[in-house]
Amino acid sequence: MEYVGEHLLPGFIGNTFVALAFVAAFFSALSFFKASNTNNDGWKNLGVYSFLLHSFSVLGIIATLFYMLLAHMYEYHYVWQHSSNALPFRYILSCFWEGQEGSFLLWAFWHIVLGIIVLFTSGKWQAPVMSVVALVQVFLISMLLGVYVFGIKIGSSPFLLLRDHPDMVNLPFVNNPNYLASLDGRGLNPLLQNYWMTIHPPVLFLGFASTLIPFAFAIAGLWKKKITEWILPSLPWMFIGVAFLGAGILMGGAWAYEALSFGGFWAWDPVENASLVPWLIMVGAAHLMLVNKKKPQSILLMFLFVFLSFLLVLYSTYLTRSGVLGETSVHSFADGLPGQLIVFMSVFVFLSVFILFYRRKLFPKQTEEEKISSREFWMFIGSLVLFLSALQIIATTSIPVFNKIFNTEMAPPNNAVMHYNAWQIPFAIIVCFILAGSQFFKHHSTEWKWFFKKIAISFFASLTATILIVYFLQIKYVLHILLLFASLFATLSNADFWLRVVSGKAKKAGASIAHVGFALIMLGALISTGKKQIISVNSSGVNIQMRSEPGTDANAENIMLVRGDTLPMGDYYVSYTGQEKEGINIYYNVAYFKKNKNEFVHQFNLRPRIQTNKLMGNVPEPDTRHFLYKDIFTYVSYADLEEANEQENPKQKQLNIGVGDTVFTNNSMLVLEYLDKSIDKKKYNLTENDIAVGAHLQVKTLSNSLYYCNPVMVISGNVLKNIPDSIPVLGLTLYFQNINVNNGSIELLVTESETKESEFIIMQAIIFPWINILWIGCLLMILGSITAAYYRIKNTVKPK
């Protein structure tokens, strides 16, 4: 069959580039391997040219896929799955890396960028380092092959035709030669239609990619029996990785705060955890490399940290792409070649373990213990604390993996935030205390009297500030008070060290600035989340509690706002002034006032929105008012979308409701009290053989008027009939249409006519006090890490 309008050439070009990239990476890895063992320039040159060809091919894959997305070539499954005609142009980038093929491509892209830099700057390390880099690229590009070898699928091609996809081959459209004429794409996940999603993934994957370079240098160092010489040229790469992976994680927190409605910036989601753990290990590895640069003391541990920083990135990829997390994460993919990912991980785990064991006799024995008064000792202790922190996070996150391996049924924590905080707050306290003091310790040994004299000012200033903050903010938990003091101490101590000890020199500022940034993140997170206040207490007089949700109090956290009414909320008065539809977004305008005597003075407006999506579900997105000392974070927890959506009959809606549940119409709330099986059949002119069930519903208006309604469903022979019931004063008619035998819920058809009742929304509003401390900390930590990397690069002598 010849299909009309298909563009087959881009797919052919894309698949050709994939094959070429795979083969070129393989020959590059092989050539560099041979060059490392023979010192033959011919092999080295072949490795260089092969890697450059590989890089060109990866760029060709990316360019082809971008062209297909821009041209809306829905004949290709990847384009159809991740884009649509209605998608704004600015989100094409998000389409590119939403799927697993695109994210693997993004990862491979950063590897070729970093690989080319290493190719021309690494001197004598070029061949052994690049052989590892190229080998990793072989595995990454294999994820895009989409071929079968002995019946085993290798990779998933982004250039697979829609009609050839296994989920599509038996669908009717395959038999239609003109199927493209009316085809639109499935579209981008609404959660990703945010500007943060155009910058967060590239920065995060640059951080992931940066872990490869120190890993490759470490492998090369063991391979060539240069146990410590590799540290100097790889140290800048480690700090670059710390900076960009940290920045990517923090950008993810900013996205969550701005785009998600859980009310916060960190939820201890398994995929959030999987990106945090490699960063923690990288930070520990960077400090152990500094310790061992001049005097080898903990060589084995340093190698383990460097190896783990890369291997944990592979593991996080497995968690994200394999589907093993199931429904425990909002970020995970349902299916992602788990077998191939396990092989990918296993090869590099084996390589790391093998070369460590093979070169174990080269590790120098520690001749003397580091003194407790030395900077090296506390950097070592700090790295161990980070390792224990990472171990706890990854162990709990991996519960679904343990269940799969050992066929167990361990349950993840019911309250993830409470569980992780209980473990991580003590680790954070210890780290902050180490940050506060470690800079003042000298290398090898420090006089205690001098040390205590240097930290005295920041110690007592922090203690005073802690007492004042505890008093005014009423902080009561001991661990919270300790974290408050430790983070303040770390902030003031490092600022003091930079200003007084190193006289504010820029080249020595990196560590101090990064430490201050980390401490401020801890301080900002503690105050903004520990003292957050839900101000949207329901003052409407209408009970919005759903009886199907015991243990929750909707009225304590959500406020019902009827259009035109003005209600008190926290320090403000709020008024819902109406909705506006802009494309797929429905904005709800809420005005905020302060009362001055008998007059309302307008302060500001917020426009939380609901992004509508028929295929993937509607998504509420918050709107936030930023002040210097607080944020007011708001989102719509319920709104009737029927009025905003253009439908054939906007006055009809289908509702599903269980006994005890509450659902909303335009002008009232319906509560299903019980199902009545004792129907008076004579009243409804039914025969004895007819089966009748009634739905006893309580109807409460926004003005607290109470009504009852009893629609009936009848099965007469093989015919299903409805006997509706109406409340004329509300213009409301209810039809009992069906019963769900699995859960006992019923289907109602509700029709409404014009009434005097107004539309309403239910909204949640949260105050996050002093959250700007956290964002300032994020900027400083990134700036400090980049500064440290910059001066490490300047001070690194190019290897000969």
Side-chain angles (χ1 to χ4, degrees):
M1 181 183 296
E2 290 190 11
Y3 292 92
V4 179
E6 285 190 337
H7 303 83
L8 301 182
L9 182 60
F12 174 77
I13 293 173
N15 282 319
T16 302
F17 276 130
V18 170
L20 191 59
F22 179 77
V23 172
F26 176 80
F27 275 105
S28 180
L30 179 63
S31 301
F32 280 125
F33 177 80
K34 297 287 288 184
S36 299
N37 290 329
T38 63
N39 291 320
N40 185 302
D41 287 341
W43 282 113
K44 184 182 291 187
N45 291 335
L46 181 58
V48 170
Y49 294 134
S50 296
F51 192 82
L52 291 175
L53 177 60
H54 163 76
S55 301
F56 173 77
S57 301
V58 170
L59 293 176
I61 301 170
I62 293 171
T64 306
L65 187 54
F66 263 122
Y67 171 73
M68 289 162 51
L69 285 165
L70 289 169
H72 297 300
M73 294 184 180
Y74 299 132
E75 57 266 43
Y76 293 97
H77 183 264
Y78 193 88
V79 179
W80 171 83
Q81 188 175 32
H82 301 293
S83 68
S84 66
N85 292 333
L87 187 72
F89 175 78
R90 61 185 179 275
Y91 297 131
I92 290 295
L93 287 173
S94 299
C95 291
F96 178 85
W97 45 66
E98 182 193 19
Q100 65 174 3
E101 297 91 342
S103 57
F104 280 130
L105 262 177
L106 180 61
W107 193 1
F109 167 76
W110 285 124
H111 277 172
I112 65 170
V113 171
L114 301 181
I116 289 173
I117 295 172
V118 171
L119 198 65
F120 295 106
T121 62
S122 55
K124 66 181 180 182
W125 293 100
Q126 183 195 68
V129 170
M130 288 305 299
S131 63
V132 178
V133 172
L135 182 62
V136 171
Q137 288 295 87
V138 171
F139 281 92
L140 266 184
I141 299 302
S142 74
M143 296 292 177
L144 306 176
L145 288 175
V147 298
Y148 286 86
V149 178
F150 302 114
I152 300 173
K153 186 180 181 183
I154 307 297
S156 175
S157 173
F159 305 108
L160 180 67
L161 288 169
L162 180 66
R163 55 184 167 85
D164 290 337
H165 192 276
D167 295 340
M168 303 292 175
V169 289
N170 295 319
L171 296 183
F173 82 89
V174 174
N175 298 317
N176 178 7
N178 198 29
Y179 74 94
L180 284 173
S182 58
L183 186 63
D184 193 3
R186 185 171 179 266
L188 181 67
N189 186 323
L191 290 175
L192 304 184
Q193 295 186 38
N194 181 281
Y195 68 91
W196 279 113
M197 281 296 109
T198 62
I199 56 177
H200 158 59
V203 175
L204 185 70
F205 273 91
L206 175 55
F208 283 159
S210 299
T211 63
L212 172 60
I213 308 304
F215 174 82
F217 267 102
I219 293 288
L222 289 171
W223 182 1
K224 307 308 290 183
K225 299 182 182 180
K226 299 181 185 296
I227 301 301
T228 58
E229 289 92 327
W230 64 275
I231 296 176
L232 185 64
S234 66
L235 199 53
W237 291 106
M238 185 61 80
F239 279 101
I240 288 170
V242 168
F244 282 102
L245 184 53
I249 293 169
L250 296 172
M251 286 179 179
W255 163 73
Y257 182 68
E258 183 167 311
L260 303 184
S261 59
F262 70 85
F265 45 83
W266 193 262
W268 294 108
D269 180 271
V271 176
E272 293 175 342
N273 298 347
S275 61
L276 175 64
V277 167
W279 182 81
L280 292 172
I281 298 299
M282 282 187 78
V283 174
H287 287 82
L288 288 175
M289 289 168 71
L290 290 173
V291 169
N292 288 278
K293 184 176 63 171
K294 294 181 178 179
K295 183 181 178 183
Q297 289 292 339
S298 46
I299 290 290
L300 177 60
L301 191 64
M302 176 191 64
F303 274 108
L304 287 174
F305 270 59
V306 174
F307 287 168
L308 279 174
S309 63
F310 174 70
L311 296 176
L312 283 167
V313 168
L314 300 185
Y315 181 63
S316 72
T317 305
Y318 169 74
L319 287 176
T320 308
R321 313 290 174 196
S322 67
V324 70
L325 293 177
E327 296 181 356
T328 62
S329 172
V330 299
H331 299 80
S332 64
F333 288 77
D335 184 20
L337 306 171
Q340 195 173 345
L341 287 167
I342 290 172
V343 172
F344 189 179
M345 275 194 303
S346 300
V347 167
F348 288 95
V349 169
F350 174 79
L351 175 63
S352 303
V353 172
F354 171 78
I355 201 163
L356 276 174
F357 180 78
Y358 187 67
R359 297 300 192 197
R360 68 191 185 280
K361 294 182 180 179
L362 297 178
F363 296 154
K365 294 183 179 180
Q366 190 167 340
T367 56
E368 59 178 334
E369 296 290 337
E370 291 288 355
K371 294 182 179 180
I372 196 173
S373 62
S374 67
R375 182 179 294 183
E376 289 82 359
F377 175 84
W378 290 106
M379 291 171 73
F380 175 81
I381 294 298
S383 298
L384 285 182
V385 174
L386 291 174
F387 174 79
L388 293 175
S389 170
L391 182 64
Q392 185 277 320
I393 296 171
I394 204 65
T396 305
T397 303
S398 299
I399 286 176
V401 180
F402 299 148
N403 287 338
K404 194 177 182 86
I405 294 173
F406 301 109
N407 198 26
T408 55
E409 296 182 358
M410 291 186 293
N414 288 329
N415 188 326
V417 173
M418 187 177 296
H419 170 82
Y420 284 104
N421 285 352
W423 282 93
Q424 294 302 314
I425 287 176
F427 289 131
I429 293 169
I430 297 171
V431 169
C432 284
F433 276 125
I434 292 173
L435 293 181
S438 59
Q439 291 262 72
F440 287 96
F441 285 110
K442 298 179 181 179
H443 292 287
H444 309 307
S445 181
T446 308
E447 291 184 9
W448 286 106
K449 185 177 180 180
W450 180 90
F451 171 77
F452 287 123
K453 182 179 178 181
K454 289 296 182 182
I455 67 168
I457 294 176
S458 54
F459 177 87
F460 287 109
S462 304
L463 184 61
T464 303
T466 299
I467 293 170
L468 292 173
I469 293 172
V470 167
Y471 175 76
F472 285 108
L473 294 185
Q474 294 295 296
I475 300 175
K476 298 177 181 179
Y477 297 107
V478 174
L479 284 178
H480 290 183
I481 295 172
L482 284 173
L483 181 57
L484 174 65
F485 173 67
S487 57
L488 285 170
F489 188 21
T491 300
L492 297 179
S493 176
N494 279 275
D496 181 43
F497 177 83
W498 180 50
L499 292 173
R500 287 201 301 143
V501 178
V502 299
S503 304
K505 294 178 181 177
K507 66 179 182 181
K508 295 185 178 180
S512 296
I513 294 173
H515 293 171
V516 168
F518 179 84
L520 288 178
I521 290 173
M522 295 298 102
L523 179 63
L526 172 66
I527 295 176
S528 64
T529 59
K531 302 305 295 183
K532 75 177 182 180
Q533 180 187 4
I534 298 176
I535 59 172
S536 49
V537 178
N538 189 21
S539 57
S540 68
V542 179
N543 182 15
I544 59 175
Q545 180 66 37
M546 295 182 68
R547 283 185 281 178
S548 62
E549 297 181 359
T552 64
D553 186 358
N555 293 292
E557 298 183 354
N558 299 270
I559 185 170
M560 174 182 278
L561 296 173
V562 178
R563 182 173 181 174
D565 287 353
T566 301
L567 298 177
M569 189 180 78
D571 295 332
Y572 297 90
Y573 286 82
V574 291
S575 177
Y576 169 49
T577 60
Q579 61 181 234
E580 295 175 304
K581 188 170 185 181
E582 299 176 10
I584 60 172
N585 296 305
I586 304 170
Y587 291 88
Y588 297 88
N589 299 308
V590 181
Y592 286 70
F593 302 89
K594 286 281 184 78
K595 197 169 185 180
N596 183 12
K597 297 181 180 179
N598 295 322
E599 183 181 11
F600 288 111
V601 180
H602 181 260
Q603 302 296 306
F604 55 88
N605 292 326
L606 285 176
R607 301 176 76 217
R609 62 174 171 155
I610 293 179
Q611 186 183 150
T612 58
N613 190 303
K614 292 181 180 179
L615 288 176
M616 304 180 200
N618 302 320
V619 176
E621 295 201 16
D623 194 15
T624 304
R625 178 71 176 187
H626 304 286
F627 296 91
L628 180 63
Y629 60 95
K630 69 179 180 181
D631 277 3
I632 300 179
F633 172 98
T634 67
Y635 72 93
V636 174
S637 51
Y638 174 84
D640 189 346
L641 301 183
E642 299 294 331
E643 287 295 317
N645 292 332
E646 296 179 3
Q647 300 180 356
E648 291 183 3
N649 188 355
K651 300 305 179 185
Q652 283 191 350
K653 67 165 65 175
Q654 199 83 28
L655 298 175
N656 192 282
I657 184 172
V659 175
D661 280 352
T662 301
V663 294
F664 298 91
T665 71
N666 289 340
N667 57 21
S668 60
M669 294 182 296
L670 310 181
V671 179
L672 178 59
E673 296 197 324
Y674 59 88
L675 296 178
D676 184 5
K677 299 179 182 178
S678 303
I679 297 296
D680 184 353
K681 295 184 179 180
K682 292 182 179 180
K683 176 181 177 181
Y684 296 106
N685 296 318
L686 302 177
T687 68
E688 287 300 321
N689 294 327
D690 291 338
I691 301 172
V693 181
H696 190 81
L697 292 136
Q698 181 191 90
V699 183
K700 192 173 186 180
T701 69
L702 304 182
S703 56
N704 282 329
S705 298
L706 197 62
Y707 301 88
Y708 291 91
C709 205
N710 297 278
V712 177
M713 183 186 74
V714 179
I715 302 175
S716 181
N718 293 323
V719 179
L720 186 66
K721 300 178 181 178
N722 304 125
I723 302 175
D725 198 6
S726 300
I727 305 175
V729 70
L730 300 180
L732 193 68
T733 303
L734 305 180
Y735 297 82
F736 182 176
Q737 291 193 309
N738 206 351
I739 299 178
N740 187 325
V741 294
N742 294 322
N743 58 23
S745 65
I746 69 171
E747 293 179 9
L748 288 177
L749 176 65
V750 179
T751 64
E752 295 180 89
S753 58
E754 290 292 337
T755 69
K756 295 182 180 180
E757 297 288 347
S758 301
E759 67 172 286
F760 68 94
I761 61 170
I762 297 176
M763 185 183 77
Q764 186 166 122
I766 305 171
I767 289 181
F768 289 98
W770 297 106
I771 195 171
N772 284 333
I773 294 174
L774 182 141
W775 303 126
I776 292 170
C778 294
L779 294 175
L780 289 177
M781 191 174 75
I782 295 168
L783 176 63
S785 300
I786 292 174
T787 302
Y790 173 74
Y791 281 102
R792 292 289 169 192
I793 293 170
K794 283 192 68 174
N795 295 332
T796 299
V797 179
K798 183 178 178 180
K800 301 295 183 183

